[in-house]
Amino acid sequence: MASDCKDRVPWLETLRNVLRRGLVGSKTLILACSALQKRYREILRSADPNYEPGPYASVVKSVLLDVGAEVLAARLEKIAAEGKHFMLAKLLQTWICFILMKQKGLLRVDAAMDPETIVRIIQTFCHLIISPQRMDSIKDKLF
């Protein structure tokens, strides 16, 4: 598992930098990636210049697309058959265990909804949390 994290760090740091640039432009970005481990999400959350490890008061929010095992298995089979995903079906149980766990700092959204609805829910959630004043303070600290 340690090598997995080491391999992913440069990729996660690249994603973090994309988020940071979006914060500078006062944009709401929705980034889709599997950051199942807390340490992965912490790297992404560090795009916030006010970031502090531990507390979840950050402008970078994590969303769990919550889905049932049967839906997840069917989706995995479909994208694997199309050659669009590398995840082995035997790893599916790890994902299911994660989804069932109560994770702090995650907004859970029903992934059975259509993508447009999911995006609207996430955008609404973000707008409720991030005030324009907070965004101004973030821009001042980035550069």
Side-chain angles (χ1 to χ4, degrees):
M1 192 61 87
S3 66
D4 179 45
C5 182
K6 185 177 178 181
D7 294 342
R8 294 189 85 183
V9 168
W11 174 70
L12 291 165
E13 288 173 341
T14 298
L15 296 177
R16 179 205 54 214
N17 295 339
V18 169
L19 291 171
R20 186 172 289 148
R21 286 191 299 273
L23 290 173
V24 170
S26 298
K27 296 178 182 175
T28 298
L29 302 174
I30 297 177
L31 171 71
C33 73
S34 60
L36 295 180
Q37 295 184 27
K38 182 181 178 200
R39 62 184 170 194
Y40 298 164
R41 293 190 304 275
E42 292 298 312
I43 292 170
L44 298 174
R45 286 181 62 239
S46 70
D48 181 347
N50 296 315
Y51 165 78
E52 292 181 24
Y56 289 92
S58 171
V59 296
V60 178
K61 301 297 177 195
S62 295
V63 177
L64 172 64
L65 297 177
D66 202 351
V67 65
E70 63 285 342
V71 174
L72 190 57
R75 288 179 181 175
L76 177 60
E77 286 178 26
K78 180 179 183 277
I79 61 175
E82 295 169 352
K84 296 179 181 177
H85 203 280
F86 61 90
M87 188 173 115
L88 302 173
K90 66 182 180 180
L91 297 177
L92 180 61
Q93 189 57 45
T94 302
W95 281 60
I96 293 168
C97 288
F98 178 82
I99 289 170
L100 295 175
M101 291 173 54
K102 297 295 180 195
Q103 297 287 321
K104 290 183 178 181
L106 293 175
L107 168 67
R108 294 175 84 95
V109 177
D110 183 357
M113 295 183 286
D114 63 276
E116 293 81 16
T117 301
I118 292 170
V119 169
R120 278 195 309 273
I121 289 170
I122 294 168
Q123 287 174 327
T124 300
F125 174 73
C126 289
H127 288 296
L128 290 173
I129 292 175
I130 305 170
S131 69
Q133 296 81 12
R134 173 87 166 109
M135 287 305 292
D136 287 341
S137 73
I138 291 167
K139 282 196 288 189
D140 294 339
K141 293 182 180 182
L142 286 173
F143 294 105

